[in-house]
Amino acid sequence: MTRKTLVALTAAMTLALPAANAFAGINDMDVVVDGRTGTETRSIAVSMADLNLASTHGVRVADSRITKAAKKVCGWMNGSILPATPDYRACFGEALDGARTDLNTLIQAQRQG
């Protein structure tokens, strides 16, 4: 194996490990919020394990968590006076839609179980 190949392999492994570790703690009560801006995709696992999703209050808290995570993965900066860009709005909308779909699945499972 050449030195160039070894360096490339090490770099690939280094990049892959954080992503694998980030999702190591995901369980059945997590909602993954994915945000894509340009060519970059960021993901956050949001735990719902402590919530009663059969209650209105639990669903509101869950939606609040998802909204905060969507802002974070799409690059929102608190206190910014800059208006939201079309790219940010698209990222935020898609992140919310995907996460709310997953949340609705969890809600149905808790209400039936």
Side-chain angles (χ1 to χ4, degrees):
M1 188 177 299
T2 67
R3 178 173 166 76
K4 186 176 180 180
T5 304
L6 185 59
V7 170
L9 225 145
T10 303
M13 288 175 53
T14 303
L15 292 174
L17 285 176
N21 290 335
F23 295 109
I26 292 177
N27 65 40
D28 292 340
M29 290 301 294
D30 287 350
V31 172
V32 177
V33 181
D34 294 317
R36 185 173 54 229
T37 53
T39 60
E40 182 180 4
T41 300
R42 297 181 191 157
S43 299
I44 296 176
V46 181
S47 178
M48 304 295 162
D50 63 321
L51 300 177
N52 175 5
L53 296 176
S55 74
T56 303
H57 176 72
V59 172
R60 275 193 230 135
V61 171
D63 194 64
S64 175
R65 289 179 185 177
I66 288 171
T67 301
K68 288 177 186 175
K71 286 179 179 179
K72 189 171 185 177
V73 296
C74 293
W76 181 258
M77 294 189 304
N78 285 335
S80 174
I81 59 170
L82 299 174
T85 65
D87 287 340
Y88 170 80
R89 286 193 294 275
C91 175
F92 182 71
E94 290 172 16
L96 274 182
D97 288 346
R100 285 180 174 157
T101 299
D102 294 345
L103 176 60
N104 286 334
T105 302
L106 287 178
I107 291 168
Q108 294 304 317
Q110 264 199 10
R111 289 185 177 164
Q112 292 174 357

